[in-house]
Amino acid sequence: MTLSTSARQRPAFSPLDLQRRPLIWRIGAVFFGSLFLALSSYIEVPMIPVPVTMQTFAVALVGALYGWRLGGVTIAAWLLEGALGLPVLAGGAAGAHHFVGPTAGYLFAFPVAGMAMGWLAERGWNGHRPGLAFVGMLISNLLCLVVGAAWLAALIGPQQAVMAGIVPFLAGAVLKAALGALTLRLMAREPRPAAE
């Protein structure tokens, strides 16, 4: 077996395989990805100052399925929709003022977290290796928490930011990472045999 044959047999990092699709598919993927992110925002447990949502799960999953570039574009498009007034943020919230309030750090962390998961997925931390996918999803979730709490610390102080912006979300981060890894595993396709 030659190296080129081996490379052809390696499974794509994502079952969507968007990197090989025409531009119109990728534009559609951005639309449907931002819709998925918006829907995840409506699954919410109200808490103060930061609600629990499925956004971090969706952000990591979009990164894992789309890759770091297209995932970052999709997440940025969703945030832009929210800033422009579409009700796509947590609980249907909208408006640019959310990007300077207590949740701003989490919002700005989303593209970074999604792109980090996409970068890892492209390197094999995906549904073909569920253990690594879980770790990648957890890293993505923790990035959101750390960056979000850093912003929150400027408003309410470091100790309160950790207690209000990280600690209540740790168990959820682990559960969402496990759900994300399971989703990727269920979606993973086996490698196709190389053409003769």
Side-chain angles (χ1 to χ4, degrees):
M1 182 185 297
T2 66
L3 182 60
S4 61
T5 302
S6 173
R8 284 198 302 268
Q9 285 183 322
R10 190 178 322 129
F13 77 88
S14 168
L16 304 179
D17 206 10
L18 292 170
Q19 281 60 37
R20 296 182 206 167
R21 303 276 187 189
L23 178 62
I24 192 70
W25 276 72
R26 284 176 273 166
I27 292 170
V30 171
F31 172 79
F32 284 107
S34 63
L35 180 61
F36 173 62
L37 288 159
L39 292 174
S40 75
S41 302
Y42 282 85
I43 303 171
E44 178 184 40
V45 177
M47 289 176 62
I48 301 216
V50 181
V52 175
T53 69
M54 288 299 283
Q55 289 172 324
T56 49
F57 164 78
V59 159
L61 192 60
V62 165
L65 292 174
Y66 284 25
W68 75 269
R69 290 180 188 89
L70 191 58
V73 167
T74 302
I75 296 163
W78 162 61
L79 293 175
L80 181 60
E81 291 165 7
L84 292 175
L86 294 176
V88 297
L89 302 177
H97 63 282
H98 291 285
F99 292 83
V100 293
T103 60
Y106 299 93
L107 295 175
F108 287 116
F110 286 151
V112 176
M115 291 170 75
M117 184 62 219
W119 188 85
L120 291 170
E122 289 175 11
R123 281 149 186 80
W125 296 40
N126 53 46
H128 298 285
R129 293 174 166 167
L132 286 177
F134 169 76
V135 174
M137 289 275 181
L138 190 57
I139 289 169
S140 179
N141 274 266
L142 293 177
L143 268 172
C144 288
L145 294 179
V146 169
V147 174
W151 176 276
L152 203 54
L155 302 176
I156 63 174
Q159 186 174 355
Q160 284 184 303
V162 169
M163 295 311 294
I166 294 181
V167 173
F169 304 101
L170 290 176
V174 172
L175 290 173
K176 286 186 259 187
L179 179 60
L182 177 62
T183 302
L184 291 176
R185 180 65 197 118
L186 292 173
M187 292 179 73
R189 294 189 303 195
E190 296 308 315
R192 286 176 290 202
E196 293 295 328

